Amino acid sequence: MEIKIDRLSDLPDNLLCCNILSRLPLKDAIRTSLLSHRWKSLWRNIPHIDFSQSFFDSLIRLTCRLAETAEMKSSVKYIENVINNILSLHSTSLESVRFDLSFQGGQNRLGGKILNNVSIEQCIKGAAVKGVKRVSLYYRGMCRRQVPSSLFACELLRVLEMEGFWITEIPSDFRGFLFLKACSLLDVGDLTDARLQQLLALCPHLEKLVIKRCAGLFNLRICAPNLSYLNLGTSSIENFTADCPQLVELKIKDCFMLCKFELNSSPFLQEMEPSDISSLKEIPALKSLKKLSLRIGLDTPFGVLISTFSDLEELKIKDILIQDMVAGEVVSDTAFPKLKKVDVRISSDIWGQKEVGLLDFLLSNAPKLNSMALRHAPVGTTLFTDPEFMSQFMSQI
């Protein structure tokens, strides 16, 4: 009789927990405890716990059936007990915990109401006790949720991701996220200029920051001594000042109201991508900048913008309306001695004399240029529609 060997169970605990169980949906990882005595407690050592949409949806389906004969409070309490018990049974330190409280139950309004009333306060507190290093909170619904106050007790936090929550206040006894390296704030309500500055001041080692759709920001000032990556995407911002001496990469998108932009001492900045900034009239000149990606509209003085970056190595230009450029706006003595790569996408129905003038300018002032890509933004139109374009362009190469 052939004896079957269970080679999977012979693998070391660390490999089973970190490489196998942690990749399974949480519900399935817990179910492995029924396989055998060997697997009974393995799931308690997984480093990452993900309370995903599917996890909550399965609980909602069960509690909605129960709610037909019980009060909604009972269903809410049941879900809270489940997630709190999972955290309490977890036996080791926790690398990350993720909550996605976005209910996807279609027309099931009762399920949405149940999940909206579920508190994760105690669960986050339990994660803080276990030294959690990464917390991700997501809520995509009709309104925002209040951020759990216990979040500010996660003193060992390295990464914070938040979407669809309110930050009405920062606790007075909050000592800071002293180990935080990366922070992403998406659609965060009540995040005023002052409150964000207060939070950043308590994150001295922050290196990566993403702020998008946070409508409470108007006069944004970011002071972060170790910040190397910054991504802004908030339409309400009118003035932006950055005191980030270690900044290397900066992205600005959908900041339609931005009028003033200042960078104070950013000697290491190498890549910048300002997009949809039609209100902005000037970008600070940066000698260290190596890569610039522009997506600008009618009111942006294109020539003045690019003429302030003489050390560029790569230039990408999106959706330029050349026919609206003011004659002579390109600074005549501008040179790009290090420019090697150019990618141009022009939103013109016809490529003509002004388009040739732009290409002539780039070709004449970039002696090391070895790559140029020309793209036409409107779909279904022909790039070279002007009969004289090809001959004029080829004569410049």
Side-chain angles (χ1 to χ4, degrees), residues 182-186 208-212 214 229-233:
C183 181
S184 178
L185 303 174
L186 310 179
K208 182 178 180 180
L209 177 62
V210 178
I211 304 174
K212 295 185 177 181
C214 299
Y229 175 88
L230 177 59
N231 190 336
L232 295 179

Side-chain angles (χ1 to χ4, degrees), residues 52-66:
S52 63
Q53 283 188 12
S54 60
F55 176 84
F56 281 114
D57 284 348
S58 63
L59 291 179
I60 288 294
R61 285 194 294 270
L62 174 61
T63 55
C64 282
R65 290 196 295 268
L66 297 175

Side-chain angles (χ1 to χ4, degrees), residues 290-293 302 306 312-318 320 336 338-346 351 358-375 393:
K290 305 298 182 185
K291 183 177 180 180
L292 176 65
S293 180
F302 165 73
I306 65 169
L312 280 182
E313 295 180 3
E314 183 174 340
L315 175 63
K316 182 179 291 186
I317 310 168
K318 305 177 184 179
I320 296 294
F336 301 99
K338 300 179 181 179
L339 190 62
K340 299 177 182 178
K341 183 178 180 180
V342 172
D343 189 325
V344 182
R345 185 174 70 177
I346 297 183
W351 281 57
L358 169 64
L359 301 179
D360 181 30
F361 167 75
L362 292 172
L363 290 169
S364 302
N365 292 279
K368 293 187 178 181
L369 188 65
N370 55 37
S371 173
M372 176 180 283
L374 307 179
R375 310 176 194 276
F393 173 62

Side-chain angles (χ1 to χ4, degrees), residues 252-269:
I252 303 175
K253 186 176 182 180
D254 299 329
C255 296
F256 305 109
M257 303 301 293
L258 186 62
C259 296
K260 188 178 180 181
F261 170 25
E262 294 183 8
L263 288 174
N264 297 330
S265 182
S266 297
F268 303 109
L269 186 63

